[in-house]
Amino acid sequence: ETGVTQTPRHLVMGMTNKKSLKCEQHLGHNAMYWYKQSAKKPLELMFVYNFKEQTENNSVPSRFSPECPNSSHLFLHLHTLQPEDSALYLCASSQDIEGIHSNQPQHFGDGTRLSIL
Amino acid sequence: TQLLKQSPQFLSIQEGENLTVYCNSSSVFSSLQWYRQEPGEGPVLLVTVVTGGEVKKLKRLTFQFGDARKDSSLHITAAQPGDTGLYLCAGGSGNTGKLIFGQGTTLQVKP
C-alpha cells in the first residue's frame, strides 16, 4: 500500500477514444504530479498541482488535460491520443512544493499502463 | 536545461558482488534523491541527500552527494537478488517541487 492509488492499472484505447486516468492519495499531501515513463527515457514531468492550483505544465500537448478537484484527487483526461503516447503514466504526491518542504520525497502510485492502438 | 546522466544503464552481476551506480550533471541541485522501481510498481524513495559531500547508509547501500552537489553515487555491497530493480536518481532545485530524473540503471542480481 503506497498511499497513492491509480486506476485503471491498464488501459487500451483507440486514437479517437476519450478516457480518464484517476489518482487518489491518502497521505494528506497538498501537491500532486503526473509523470510519463517511456522505455529507455527518463521519467518526464507533465503537470504539477499545489493546493489544487496548476503550477507547472511541462509543454504537454493539449490532448492531455489534467483536473485537480481537491488536494486528494487528480485526473488526466485523454483525447485523440497518438501511438507515441503509449507509456506508463505515474501519479505522485508530496507534502507541498515550497520552502523547507522542497526536499521532501514524492510518493508514487503504481501507474497506469496505457496502450494506444 | 538540467539533465542527469546515470551510468551504467544496465548492470547484470552475481550475488555477492559489489557495484556502484553514478549520477552526473553539469547543474547544481538543492537535493538528490534515489528511488528504486520494481516491475509493475511505482518508484519508491530510498534516500535524500541535501548537503555537498553528504554520505548516507541504508544497510548495504551507501549514497554519496558530490561536494559541488552536481553528482551522486550509489554503492551496493554484497548484492542480493532482492536488490534487482530499476534505480533512479532525481535532482531537485528550488521550491518548485520539480524533480529531474536520470534515465535509470537496471540492475539484475543473479543467484
Side-chain angles (χ1 to χ4, degrees):
Chain A
E1 178 60 50
T2 66
V4 180
T5 304
Q6 289 188 244
T7 54
R9 292 297 312 275
H10 302 271
L11 179 61
V12 180
M13 57 187 285
M15 288 191 285
T16 58
N17 291 159
K18 285 185 181 180
K19 295 286 184 183
S20 296
L21 309 185
K22 180 182 176 182
C23 176
E24 182 175 3
Q25 57 97 359
H26 312 276
L27 301 169
H29 288 166
N30 298 304
M32 296 188 77
Y33 310 78
W34 278 117
Y35 287 89
K36 176 183 178 183
Q37 187 173 34
S38 305
K40 299 182 181 180
K41 293 179 68 176
L43 264 162
E44 300 173 60
L45 178 67
M46 299 174 72
F47 301 102
V48 180
Y49 278 83
N50 193 42
F51 293 93
K52 302 190 300 177
E53 297 297 320
Q54 187 181 117
T55 59
E56 193 78 27
N57 177 339
N58 200 25
S59 302
V60 180
S62 59
R63 57 185 184 269
F64 294 92
S65 174
E67 178 189 1
C68 188
N70 55 61
S71 292
S72 299
H73 293 86
L74 185 64
F75 296 90
L76 188 62
H77 303 299
L78 315 172
H79 176 51
T80 321
L81 296 193
Q82 304 299 309
E84 62 265 28
D85 297 324
S86 296
L88 180 68
Y89 288 84
L90 290 162
C91 172
S93 72
S94 64
Q95 187 60 49
D96 57 47
I97 64 171
E98 299 174 346
I100 62 172
H101 302 296
S102 61
N103 295 328
Q104 286 200 347
Q106 294 184 8
H107 296 257
F108 286 83
D110 289 335
T112 295
R113 175 69 62 185
L114 176 65
S115 298
I116 306 300
L117 301 178
Chain B
T1 303
Q2 293 179 305
L3 293 172
L4 271 172
K5 185 174 181 181
Q6 276 186 248
S7 61
Q9 290 191 36
F10 184 80
L11 194 55
S12 181
I13 61 173
Q14 292 295 133
E15 181 176 1
E17 292 184 18
N18 301 332
L19 67 117
T20 302
V21 177
Y22 299 94
C23 181
N24 296 293
S25 176
S26 57
S27 303
V28 176
F29 291 99
S30 61
S31 66
L32 204 296
Q33 297 180 340
W34 285 91
Y35 291 81
R36 190 176 102 191
Q37 185 177 18
E38 300 192 30
E41 299 182 6
V44 176
L45 181 73
L46 295 173
V47 77
T48 301
V49 285
V50 298
T51 306
E54 183 176 3
V55 176
K56 281 191 174 179
K57 291 194 174 183
L58 186 66
K59 297 183 181 178
R60 293 176 292 100
L61 279 61
T62 301
F63 304 85
Q64 185 164 8
F65 201 11
D67 291 341
R69 290 185 288 130
K70 293 182 179 180
D71 52 81
S72 181
S73 64
L74 157 61
H75 183 79
I76 301 179
T77 303
Q80 298 177 3
D83 296 327
T84 293
L86 176 67
Y87 289 82
L88 298 162
C89 66
S93 57
N95 299 326
T96 65
K98 290 177 65 174
L99 286 178
I100 306 298
F101 280 84
Q103 75 271 41
T105 295
T106 299
L107 172 64
Q108 181 184 57
V109 182
K110 301 175 189 174

